[in-house]
Amino acid sequence: MVDLRGRDFLKLLDFTPKEINHLLTVSSTLKKQKRNHESHRYLKGKQVALIFEKDSTRTRCSFEAGAVDLGMQATYIGPTGSQLGKKETIADTARVLCRIYDGIEYRGFDQTIVEDLAKYSSVPVWNGLTNEFHPTQMLADVMTIKEEFGKLKGITLCFCGDARNNVGNSLMVVCSKLGMNFVCAAPKELFPNEELVSICKNICNETGGTIRLEEDIMKATKDVDVLYTDVWVSMGEPMELWENRIKLLQPYQVNKKVMDNANKNAIFLHCLPSFHNIDTKIGKEIYDKFGITEMEVTDEVFESSKSRVFEEAENRLHTIKAVMLETLKE
Ligand code: CP
Ligand code: NVA
């Protein structure tokens, strides 16, 4: 029996494979209920606080809409408008919010902040993205992969790009936990940090997963089942980094040649938002400055029949609801 009541959800390293699989099972049930318009207000009367020090579409909407689906109310606390960070510490904020709310979500900067929030809060704290990890994203990703292939063990996923960012780190962790094969296609400078690689390799010894770090994009992507990429510069990083990242990561763009190198049935995933054209403010700025029209993924792959990015985005809702439900239920 898996019992996650009262638990924080800060990073997947804290969870067993059985617990992660349980959350996926609950997510699938909630997805069916939502699709069938069956009421699932299991947390009626509870309230959650959602702290966002960085921007968000999917995570914020999934927590807000998910809370309402489960019968709860949500309060959004944005980067401005509260005392947090200016006149009040994380420790004090945590001790206030847990007197008012049943659960607290945090999106922001260092992982130590969300860990501190959890330390001082008597109610569950959920990580909605930090510089180091993005665990709720992972549940949606593996849910999408499982829906596609019917299994996770033995599936090979290749992450192309800045493999030290929150998404790269978290993918390596979730693949290790679930007995999947993780390949990172990146220049050496952007390989995940050695300590995390070593922790994940130890997990793989238990689960049968594997980890491979590869500089050669064609070797890395040969016959993989899932191609995954993310933005080259993450939220919170300085704009000045773009020039260097473009130089380092252009060879790792997911384009048709790379996609054709993967398995015949391979799918493309991206946590989103994505720079696959110049129809965004930043996309246009990068085009004006560096003359490139697509970045981490080409528009052709993004819009292709192999792309599952919108299924993946929808699964953010169901998986975030599973995390809230399993940690808050009585
Ligand atoms: N993937 C993801 O976390 O998206 P948002 O930044 O829109 O929440
Ligand atoms: N690595 C990206 C993920 C966004 C969901 C960022 O942190 O900006």
Side-chain angles (χ1 to χ4, degrees):
M1 248 302 274
V2 172
D3 183 358
L4 300 176
R5 286 174 300 172
R7 285 272 295 275
D8 299 311
F9 189 78
L10 306 179
K11 56 186 184 304
L12 285 179
L13 287 171
D14 303 336
F15 288 80
T16 65
K18 195 169 169 194
E19 288 169 340
I20 298 170
N21 279 313
H22 173 74
L23 286 169
L24 295 179
T25 306
V26 175
S27 305
S28 298
T29 305
L30 290 169
K31 183 170 184 172
K32 279 190 208 109
Q33 287 173 320
K34 175 89 176 171
R35 290 263 165 104
N36 296 336
H37 304 286
E38 284 168 31
S39 170
H40 46 283
R41 294 165 57 82
Y42 303 122
L43 300 175
K44 197 160 168 246
K46 293 193 187 285
Q47 301 208 41
V48 293
L50 312 176
I51 305 173
F52 282 84
E53 297 201 288
K54 288 178 179 166
D55 292 342
S56 171
T57 297
R58 280 144 289 272
T59 312
R60 174 181 175 176
C61 295
S62 298
F63 271 102
E64 285 203 28
V68 172
D69 279 351
L70 291 167
M72 298 193 286
Q73 288 205 349
T75 303
Y76 171 76
I77 303 167
T80 60
S82 82
Q83 310 287 11
L84 177 63
K86 299 179 292 284
K87 281 169 76 180
E88 200 149 37
T89 62
I90 278 288
D92 292 355
T93 305
R95 285 177 290 181
V96 171
L97 292 181
C98 70
R99 300 278 180 137
I100 302 172
Y101 293 97
D102 300 286
I104 305 168
E105 180 275 354
Y106 173 83
R107 164 172 289 201
F109 297 91
D110 290 354
Q111 180 72 15
T112 52
I113 301 175
V114 77
E115 303 269 352
D116 261 3
L117 197 57
K119 184 170 145 200
Y120 288 100
S121 158
S122 58
V123 301
V125 170
W126 311 298
N127 177 357
L129 178 147
T130 57
N131 291 344
E132 291 86 349
F133 293 112
H134 195 3
T136 61
Q137 177 71 50
M138 295 305 112
L139 293 178
D141 297 345
V142 290
M143 181 179 186
T144 312
I145 296 168
K146 197 167 176 191
E147 286 174 342
E148 185 71 30
F149 298 105
K151 62 171 188 176
L152 291 168
K153 246 186 196 312
I155 293 289
T156 302
L157 177 148
C158 179
F159 179 79
C160 305
D162 175 12
R164 295 165 323 164
N165 79 11
N166 39 24
V167 170
N169 285 342
S170 307
L171 282 169
M172 184 165 68
V173 172
V174 79
C175 287
S176 309
K177 286 274 178 182
L178 298 178
M180 298 168 66
N181 307 308
F182 175 78
V183 188
C184 137
K188 266 211 174 73
E189 300 92 304
L190 298 178
F191 276 0
N193 85 54
E194 282 174 23
E195 194 191 339
L196 188 63
V197 173
S198 146
I199 292 171
C200 289
K201 282 192 172 162
N202 281 335
I203 298 171
C204 284
N205 290 339
E206 309 266 304
T207 63
T210 62
I211 292 172
R212 189 155 61 89
L213 311 181
E214 189 62 78
E215 281 197 285
D216 181 326
I217 177 83
M218 295 314 270
K219 265 197 210 159
T221 54
K222 183 86 193 128
D223 295 336
V224 301
D225 303 302
V226 182
L227 276 167
Y228 197 122
T229 189
D230 183 13
V231 289
W232 290 343
V233 175
S234 288
M235 288 183 284
E237 293 192 304
M239 283 302 278
E240 296 78 68
L241 271 184
W242 273 110
E243 186 169 4
N244 184 249
R245 287 288 168 79
I246 290 171
K247 212 178 323 139
L248 284 174
L249 290 173
Q250 238 174 354
Y252 299 91
Q253 180 191 62
V254 179
N255 50 35
K256 187 168 184 303
K257 184 173 164 217
V258 169
M259 204 71 224
D260 287 347
N261 193 41
N263 257 347
K264 196 164 66 46
N265 300 326
I267 58 168
F268 171 71
L269 296 181
H270 190 312
C271 54
L272 305 182
S274 157
F275 294 119
H276 56 96
N277 57 33
I278 56 168
D279 299 343
T280 61
K281 187 168 171 272
I282 294 180
K284 176 75 171 46
E285 275 170 25
I286 297 294
Y287 171 70
D288 290 341
K289 211 158 169 205
F290 303 105
I292 55 171
T293 55
E294 303 156 315
M295 286 192 252
E296 71 276 4
V297 57
T298 58
D299 202 46
E300 185 181 20
V301 168
F302 186 90
E303 299 291 355
S304 73
S305 60
K306 290 180 178 290
S307 177
R308 295 289 179 277
V309 296
F310 297 111
E311 284 78 4
E312 181 186 10
E314 179 193 329
N315 286 339
R316 298 297 310 285
L317 170 70
H318 311 303
T319 46
I320 280 174
K321 281 165 70 177
V323 170
M324 290 196 287
L325 176 58
E326 289 304 290
T327 55
L328 291 189
K329 72 183 187 191
E330 282 167 20

